[in-house]
Amino acid sequence: MSTPFPFTAVVGQDDLRLALLLNAVSPAVGGVLVRGEKGTAKSTAVRALSALMPEVDVVAGCRFSCAPAAPDPACPDGPHEVGAGVQRPARMVELPVGASEDRLVGALDIERALAEGVKAFEPGLLADAHRGILYVDEVNLLHDHLVDLLLDAAAMGASYVEREGVSVRHAARFLLVGTMNPEEGELRPQLLDRFGLTVEVAASREPDQRVEVVRRRLAYDDDPDGFAGRWADEETSVRARIVAARKLLPSVVLGDGPLRQIAATCAAFEVDGMRADIVMARTATTLAAWAGRTEVLAEDVRQAALLALPHRRRRNPFDAPGLDEDKLDETLEEFGGGDGSNGSGGSDDSGDSGDEDPDPDGPDGGGGQPPQEGPDGGKDDGSSESSGEVPAQGEPSESGQAPSPGAGEQAPVRAAEPFRTKVLSVPGLGEGAAGRRSRARTEHGRTTGARRPQGALTKLHLAATVQAAAPHQRARGRSGPGLVVRRDDLRQATREGREGNLVLFVVDASGSMAARQRMSAVKGAVLSLLLDAYQRRDKVGLVTFRGSTGEVALPPTSSVDAAAVRLESLPTGGRTPLAAGLLRAHDVLRVERLRDPARRALMVVVTDGRATGGPEPVSLAGRAARLFAADGVASVVVDCESGPVRLGLAGQLAGELGGSAVTLDELRADSIAGLVRDVQGNSRRAA
């Protein structure tokens, strides 16, 4: 086993280290979600934490890590007698993003259960992580069915494996730690709320600190054991401090004053439910124990709020996490009377480590606030540059009149309020990643038939298995009431559920769309479709066209947030190179088919259907559209044409694409025409 990078050797990242250490002191805090750009020591710090965790007492030989003082009465390896056990290091178990359900919860041998009545159970990762750490790297990419299992285990403290009436249960209480890059997509709100604390991490912009990071990493790579040995004393000191804080924790008093501040803070930031109040109370208590105190102060409440609330105040998927610290300080000051503490957060009173003078790079350098900007310091994908471009000069408008200098491009307009959209889906039956948009063969969903298993049996079709075994009972010498089942009799259930698709938005940003009210409505419609894509677990991409070219504004990604940012900063103006936009979209889909052939695409073209600029623009656009029809790409055209006189160009484009067209009004789920319509085009419409 390789030597892990020492926790105390991690440079900076004070809030990350503090949040991890608080959970090491009190797992009841609820785990940590670490958000940040790649290459910021997220995984390194988490993996290093396991070496600092105190050892645990377990029943000898128990695969489910039962505590000898209070063994689980329902343990599959039990029953255990209360008595002395053995000590072992706390485990850190990593859950791969692509893990199967059986790998997570365990596997039950269905063949032996049916033929012999034996519950032969092989424990999964949840059993391994019991009383330890369950670490999920790239937790935002975890499949929905695994997220559901994690939520159940986190809520009940136990894991249940049920197959055709055979059930196994075991305890599963663990410290959940997840890392993620927000650019790759956000977490489901239910799982997000299960993390007690969250921290934002970013690479330091200080040259001296970056130099130290590189120096330590190179030294570790050259000699891991020697490097770890140089930090052994610091590691031992922190481990002892964790043990001391655990012993002190039951003695810490959470007075009425700090408790009132906690309640007032959660109310002021309008967080949902009561979990935030409970997590803040536990975190503030643990902060006091970590500082060696038996009384919770206002500074503990403030730090607890900065760690426990940012991910709970999001009102919709596109809200950035974070807290208004001025508002936080005002709330703490308003409700901080009578507790004898410094309501401003105690910035002049260390109150943390007594006479210690900690190394600023050490593990107790916490107390700072999580950064409130994005991982790149607030530079939202170049949007600030897009609003400050020099407008195109002297380009004719759609009406043919030469515009005044600087009128070729208009500044971006804000999107109108989003709305609930009608369901757009890809026709047919796919086999892509689990999601909520189009029909697909999946591991979860309604049973539609049976087949012979290919590999390990995961979903037994009981009726089909019995039907396959029944004709052979006499030949197999059956003499009792039991059914003689052989491997060849087993049948796997085939199920139909929903898959996530690649939704590629192709947005017309030309001068014909540039009227501010009109473009605001268009952006509102696309934003609504993005919200729908977020809820249905789709990947999204964004292609825009204006002037003379089509441009990939956002390559296909799971980060719907990134698409919303690019949409908000989208400028308009110039001619309408419809063919160029479609050809660019065709290239994007061709590359994505090579990368992920199982994920089907849905192209949403947002345009009024006009095509201008260059020789024969209409003919070129038609030929480009027919490429998608030939490839069988599902498409829908959102018709943005307005005014009393309509040319119907968007409908003609939809016909060339082999798809269908909807107006902005028809896109609303609550409109008169808002019936759910498949994207198979006019061929499936009723006569």
Side-chain angles (χ1 to χ4, degrees):
M1 181 177 179
S2 60
T3 303
F5 192 91
F7 186 86
T8 51
V10 175
V11 179
Q13 308 296 13
D14 294 340
D15 293 311
L16 169 58
R17 290 183 294 158
L18 178 62
L20 291 172
L21 289 169
L22 292 177
N23 276 275
V25 173
S26 175
V29 167
V32 186
L33 174 64
V34 187
R35 298 165 48 94
E37 59 194 9
K38 53 186 177 294
T40 50
K42 301 188 298 293
S43 300
T44 299
V46 174
R47 293 188 175 100
L49 177 67
S50 60
L52 300 178
M53 298 286 286
E55 293 188 333
V56 295
D57 294 323
V58 298
V59 174
C62 178
R63 297 175 298 166
F64 301 87
S65 302
C66 283
D72 181 6
C75 176
D77 284 354
H80 304 300
E81 294 184 1
V82 177
V86 296
Q87 282 195 330
R88 64 160 176 77
R91 293 174 180 158
M92 192 196 75
V93 178
E94 293 195 40
L95 171 59
V97 169
S100 66
E101 180 179 335
D102 285 348
R103 185 71 186 99
L104 178 61
V105 300
L108 192 63
D109 192 329
I110 297 296
E111 186 175 359
R112 291 189 64 190
L114 286 176
E116 305 173 27
V118 175
K119 292 184 180 180
F121 182 69
E122 184 66 29
L125 296 177
L126 290 180
D128 292 342
H130 180 48
R131 304 177 67 203
I133 302 171
L134 182 63
Y135 171 47
V136 189
D137 194 14
E138 306 295 350
V139 63
N140 51 325
L141 304 182
L142 203 62
H143 291 305
D144 272 3
H145 66 282
L146 298 182
V147 171
D148 293 337
L149 294 170
L150 276 182
L151 288 172
D152 289 342
M156 298 183 292
S159 175
Y160 291 85
V161 182
E162 298 189 10
R163 300 283 172 82
E164 305 298 339
V166 181
S167 178
V168 174
R169 172 211 170 274
H170 64 83
R173 292 181 293 275
F174 46 82
L175 172 59
L176 181 61
V177 181
T179 56
M180 60 174 283
N181 184 347
E183 293 180 357
E184 297 174 343
E186 282 293 345
L187 276 180
R188 284 172 54 181
Q190 297 93 330
L191 183 57
L192 190 64
D193 191 50
R194 281 292 172 186
F195 286 98
L197 309 180
T198 185
V199 290
E200 295 273 350
V201 295
S204 172
R205 301 299 186 255
E206 293 293 331
D208 291 343
Q209 196 171 68
R210 296 175 75 97
V211 166
E212 186 61 24
V213 170
V214 175
R215 181 180 292 120
R216 294 186 186 184
R217 186 69 211 190
L218 293 178
Y220 170 77
D221 291 340
D222 290 340
D223 183 10
D225 293 333
F227 183 82
R230 293 194 290 275
W231 290 88
D233 291 343
E234 286 82 354
E235 295 280 289
T236 301
S237 175
V238 174
R239 193 178 298 110
R241 187 173 175 184
I242 292 174
V243 173
R246 282 189 172 188
K247 292 180 179 178
L248 183 62
L249 186 61
S251 303
V252 177
V253 176
L254 179 62
D256 290 342
L259 189 55
R260 185 171 178 79
Q261 286 182 316
I262 290 170
T265 300
C266 293
F269 285 99
E270 300 180 346
V271 296
D272 295 330
M274 295 297 298
R275 184 173 286 118
D277 304 63
I278 296 171
V279 171
M280 270 192 68
R282 288 173 175 164
T283 304
T285 303
T286 308
L287 280 163
W290 178 248
R293 290 185 268 101
T294 57
E295 181 182 3
V296 175
L297 304 179
E299 64 193 64
D300 301 322
V301 175
R302 187 180 195 277
Q303 181 65 67
L306 292 170
L307 293 173
L309 296 188
H311 60 304
R312 291 188 166 90
R313 58 160 296 277
R314 302 181 72 193
R315 310 315 298 174
N316 69 62
F318 302 145
D319 286 343
L323 288 183
D324 183 341
E325 295 190 35
D326 291 336
K327 181 178 179 179
L328 173 61
D329 290 335
E330 290 173 3
T331 304
L332 293 176
E333 184 175 354
E334 180 181 355
F335 292 89
D339 64 351
S341 63
N342 181 2
S344 64
S347 58
D348 296 328
D349 177 10
S350 65
D352 190 6
S353 52
D355 351 87
E356 293 179 358
D357 183 17
D359 179 354
D361 290 334
D364 48 356
Q369 297 86 22
Q372 301 307 307
E373 298 177 342
D376 57 356
K379 296 179 181 177
D380 282 333
D381 307 311
S383 61
S384 58
E385 288 88 343
S386 65
S387 61
E389 290 180 354
V390 178
Q393 300 290 325
E395 186 172 2
S397 66
E398 291 294 317
S399 63
Q401 298 178 348
S404 59
E409 177 179 298
Q410 296 189 13
V413 299
R414 295 187 63 84
E417 282 297 314
F419 51 84
R420 187 168 64 90
T421 66
K422 62 185 300 183
V423 179
L424 303 175
S425 61
V426 179
L429 196 62
E431 295 182 346
R436 298 182 179 179
R437 183 171 297 279
S438 304
R439 294 173 54 224
R441 298 183 185 92
T442 62
E443 287 295 318
H444 302 270
R446 64 185 182 90
T447 300
T448 58
R451 60 175 173 82
R452 291 181 181 272
Q454 299 171 348
L457 178 70
T458 55
K459 301 291 182 183
L460 178 74
H461 195 295
L462 184 58
T465 298
V466 172
Q467 186 176 10
H472 309 290
Q473 297 305 296
R474 180 176 298 178
R476 292 173 182 173
R478 173 184 167 184
S479 58
L483 187 69
V484 181
V485 179
R486 302 285 168 80
R487 175 69 185 174
D488 290 342
D489 301 329
L490 299 178
R491 294 295 182 268
Q492 175 88 21
T494 57
R495 302 193 174 191
E496 182 179 310
R498 294 281 169 176
E499 67 177 359
N501 299 119
L502 166 59
V503 181
L504 182 63
F505 294 93
V506 184
V507 180
D508 185 348
S510 65
S512 66
M513 306 279 287
R516 296 187 68 83
Q517 184 176 1
R518 185 179 179 191
M519 196 61 196
S520 177
V522 168
K523 285 188 175 182
V526 178
L527 185 62
S528 303
L529 290 167
L530 283 172
L531 282 166
D532 183 66
Y534 169 82
Q535 294 165 352
R536 298 184 188 280
R537 310 290 182 264
D538 295 316
K539 288 180 69 175
V540 296
L542 179 61
V543 173
T544 64
F545 57 94
R546 67 186 183 94
S548 60
T549 62
E551 176 183 332
V552 181
L554 182 71
T557 175
S558 296
S559 177
V560 178
D561 302 54
V565 171
R566 301 293 174 92
L567 177 70
E568 193 68 29
S569 61
L570 179 66
T572 57
R575 291 187 179 273
T576 311
L578 177 58
L582 293 175
L583 290 174
R584 183 57 61 91
H586 190 266
D587 288 341
V588 170
L589 294 181
R590 177 179 55 81
V591 172
E592 283 303 306
R593 276 196 295 270
L594 296 175
R595 290 177 176 170
D596 189 358
R599 187 182 291 269
R600 297 186 297 165
L602 170 63
M603 186 173 69
V604 179
V605 185
V606 185
T607 181
D608 57 9
R610 297 188 183 187
T612 61
E616 300 183 347
V618 176
S619 176
L620 285 174
R623 288 203 294 270
R626 287 191 288 274
L627 292 175
F628 295 92
D631 290 342
V633 176
S635 59
V636 60
V637 178
V638 179
D639 185 357
C640 301
E641 190 174 24
S642 60
V645 179
R646 294 178 177 268
L647 302 178
L649 298 176
Q652 295 176 22
L653 175 62
E656 299 278 9
L657 289 167
S660 60
V662 294
T663 66
L664 288 174
D665 288 337
E666 291 172 339
L667 192 61
R668 293 179 179 269
D670 54 358
S671 68
I672 296 177
L675 300 176
V676 176
R677 182 192 303 168
D678 208 286
V679 193
Q680 289 181 299
N682 297 330
S683 61
R684 293 193 59 179
R685 292 182 181 177

